[in-house]
Amino acid sequence: MPVRAKSINWTREELILALSLYFEIGNAGPTNRRVIELARLFQQLGFSRDEHGRVAARTEDSVAMKLGNFRHLDPSHPKVGLNKSTTKDEVVWNEFAGKRDQLALAVADLLAGTVTPLGPQPVLARRVALEAYNTYDMYPAVASASIRTRDEAELVNRYAEYLRNQGHDVDGRLIAGVFRVDLYDYSENTIIEAKSTLERESIRMAVGQLLDYRFSDPATSHRLAVLLPSKPPGNAIDFLGSLSIRLIYPGAESWPVDS
């Protein structure tokens, strides 16, 4: 039976997973679905132990507070968040804040069936309702992020409707208990990552997320696709094509505008 980990320091592994969640949803309270899922994942992985070797479980309040610690370290939100960050928090932040691709790989290493203190952990993926996480309040404290989230949700829902009209079975997908893909086409086993801007950084982030999702869900042979609001400039199409990642946008062959 797990014991509470209130007085036990956070491990590096826990901080990496918490930082990854922070970059996905920003600051969030203990009732947030993603916060609850991460607290349960910590219990499953068992990175923290008490002096008797018992698994020390993180509570939802503890996870939410750690997101607040990271918000305090985030230079884009000065004087916001909880100022009780630890040295370990700062070390992990400084290591990964500007290297999201390396953070994604670190998370994948932790979740992809590697040996943890509890022994080998299976990588599980399951179907979830699309509506369960395409909401508009994932970043309630950040107006610009709220707009991006809303735009991405609208884009995903529009394309999902198009695919359903074409007879495809589409929905959400939860990977390894922590990763929620934007849209999954179960008819073609395609992971679809949506971005609301055409910036190169957004496209690169989408690529990193897709590769991480596929790596963390090896039981299925996945196709990968990036969903954008319009045709991207420059050589983004060639870049994605070189990685065998399909590009989808309104007006493309994969999404005719008159459909």
Side-chain angles (χ1 to χ4, degrees):
M1 183 71 178
V3 296
R4 294 301 183 188
K6 183 177 181 180
S7 60
I8 299 177
N9 292 333
W10 281 64
T11 66
R12 171 181 169 82
E13 292 85 357
E14 290 173 325
L15 291 173
I16 287 173
L17 293 174
L19 180 60
S20 177
L21 181 62
Y22 172 75
F23 285 134
E24 286 192 59
I25 71 172
N27 210 13
T31 60
N32 181 280
R33 182 181 292 106
R34 301 297 304 282
V35 170
I36 295 171
E37 289 171 353
L38 185 56
R40 291 174 179 171
L41 182 65
F42 283 152
Q43 180 174 329
Q44 174 191 354
L45 296 177
F47 290 122
S48 287
R49 301 268 176 158
D50 68 4
E51 64 273 18
H52 302 294
R54 295 174 298 184
V55 175
R58 300 290 174 192
T59 65
E60 292 82 0
D61 286 329
S62 178
V63 173
M65 290 180 66
K66 187 55 64 180
L67 297 183
N69 294 148
F70 283 132
R71 173 58 62 89
H72 180 72
L73 295 173
D74 192 340
S76 62
H77 304 288
K79 298 182 180 180
V80 176
L82 302 177
N83 62 3
K84 293 184 178 180
S85 302
T86 68
T87 301
K88 280 187 176 181
D89 296 344
E90 295 180 9
V91 169
V92 171
W93 175 272
N94 292 332
E95 181 177 355
F96 292 111
K99 302 174 182 178
R100 306 288 182 84
D101 53 343
Q102 293 185 18
L103 177 61
L105 290 175
V107 170
D109 286 342
L110 292 174
L111 299 179
T114 56
V115 176
T116 72
L118 289 182
Q121 297 296 317
V123 177
L124 302 176
R126 62 182 175 87
R127 183 172 184 142
V128 294
L130 183 62
E131 294 76 10
Y133 55 93
N134 272 335
T135 58
Y136 298 166
D137 58 354
M138 293 176 69
Y139 296 78
V142 188
S144 61
S146 297
I147 294 172
R148 289 197 298 272
T149 303
R150 181 176 65 249
D151 290 346
E152 288 176 9
E154 292 174 349
L155 182 64
V156 167
N157 289 329
R158 285 170 52 207
Y159 186 59
E161 181 180 7
Y162 166 75
L163 288 179
R164 286 172 179 144
N165 289 337
Q166 301 301 308
H168 288 237
D169 179 19
V170 296
D171 217 335
R173 188 174 181 87
L174 180 66
I175 297 174
V178 68
F179 295 135
R180 291 180 181 272
V181 306
D182 286 333
L183 181 65
Y184 194 84
D185 185 344
Y186 287 86
S187 298
E188 297 186 351
N189 291 332
T190 302
I191 304 173
I192 302 169
E193 178 63 27
K195 295 299 175 187
S196 61
T197 73
L198 305 180
E199 298 172 357
R200 185 72 171 210
E201 181 180 356
S202 294
I203 295 174
R204 290 177 66 241
M205 182 176 292
V207 169
Q209 290 174 272
L210 286 169
L211 295 177
D212 195 0
Y213 297 156
R214 183 171 64 184
F215 181 79
S216 300
D217 186 13
T220 303
S221 179
H222 302 286
R223 298 178 180 179
L224 305 178
V226 172
L227 175 62
L228 298 176
S230 61
K231 183 177 180 179
N235 63 353
I237 296 177
D238 294 334
F239 167 59
L240 293 173
S242 71
L243 299 171
S244 299
I245 296 177
R246 184 175 164 203
L247 175 63
I248 304 168
Y249 58 88
E253 182 178 350
S254 53
W255 189 2
V257 293
D258 59 347
S259 298

